[in-house]
Amino acid sequence: MRTKICCWAIILLAATQIFCGCGGNTNAEEKLLRIYVRADSDAAAAQAVNAQVSAAVAYYLNGELENCRTYAEAYAAVRARTNTVAHIADGVLRAKGYGYGAKAALTHISAQSGECDALIVRLGTGNGDDRQNVLYPVSADTSAKDGAVYKSLIAEIIGKRL
């Protein structure tokens, strides 16, 4: 009788694991933290400087977030660096001769891929196409698709002063 009860208990436990998903990946950290750098317009020059700002900001944030182990840590780190991101974007825009500035804000958005928290960087009016990237989890590869590794002198200078 005890053998039957033990066998049924094992079968019930196994069925619970299979059908309830209790034995699967229990990592609740599937949230993504994104960045959107929105150009002033869709003009070629505005899109070109958008790419440069995106590279500078990504370089800075990837370095700052590489030690974040949880979503909460990454979110707090980005929130604390929002003004620095705007200053980096402003610096790139000024260095390239643009008269407009940048604004950065951390917000919750609904996108085609679902809802997420995102750092939105608006260059000028922010009415152009955007460049988007995932901030967390941090990608191991921070190089560009063309093989170049972008550095930001402005991000390095600001990082030394902080």
Side-chain angles (χ1 to χ4, degrees):
M1 180 70 165
R2 266 190 198 170
T3 308
K4 282 186 177 182
I5 292 174
C6 287
C7 288
W8 279 110
I10 291 171
I11 290 170
L12 182 61
L13 182 61
T16 303
Q17 294 288 319
I18 292 169
F19 294 112
C20 294
C22 300
N25 181 4
T26 58
N27 181 6
E29 287 245 61
E30 295 179 7
K31 293 173 77 174
L32 295 178
L33 181 57
R34 296 183 172 275
I35 183 170
Y36 294 84
V37 181
R38 297 190 173 145
D40 183 59
S41 71
D42 289 334
Q47 290 297 317
V49 78
N50 186 16
Q52 293 169 339
V53 169
S54 296
V57 169
Y59 177 78
Y60 169 72
L61 286 175
N62 282 337
E64 296 297 310
L65 298 178
E66 68 185 348
N67 294 320
C68 292
R69 299 290 174 240
T70 66
Y71 181 84
E73 287 176 4
Y75 185 89
V78 170
R79 185 179 63 229
R81 290 162 177 83
T82 301
N83 288 336
T84 304
V85 167
H87 290 304
I88 291 169
D90 278 337
V92 172
L93 291 169
R94 283 193 187 92
K96 298 297 178 182
Y98 287 86
Y100 52 81
K103 294 179 183 174
L106 191 57
T107 187
H108 188 79
I109 63 168
S110 294
Q112 291 176 346
S113 58
E115 292 187 15
C116 67
D117 292 316
L119 178 62
I120 308 293
V121 182
R122 295 183 195 281
L123 308 182
T125 63
N127 290 332
D129 285 341
D130 60 28
R131 292 185 172 264
Q132 51 186 299
N133 207 343
V134 174
L135 291 175
Y136 181 85
V138 176
S139 171
D141 179 21
T142 59
S143 61
K145 291 181 180 156
D146 60 3
V149 177
Y150 293 98
K151 289 188 174 185
S152 169
L153 178 61
I154 296 163
E156 290 175 6
I157 291 169
I158 290 173
K160 287 179 185 175
R161 291 186 182 172
L162 296 179

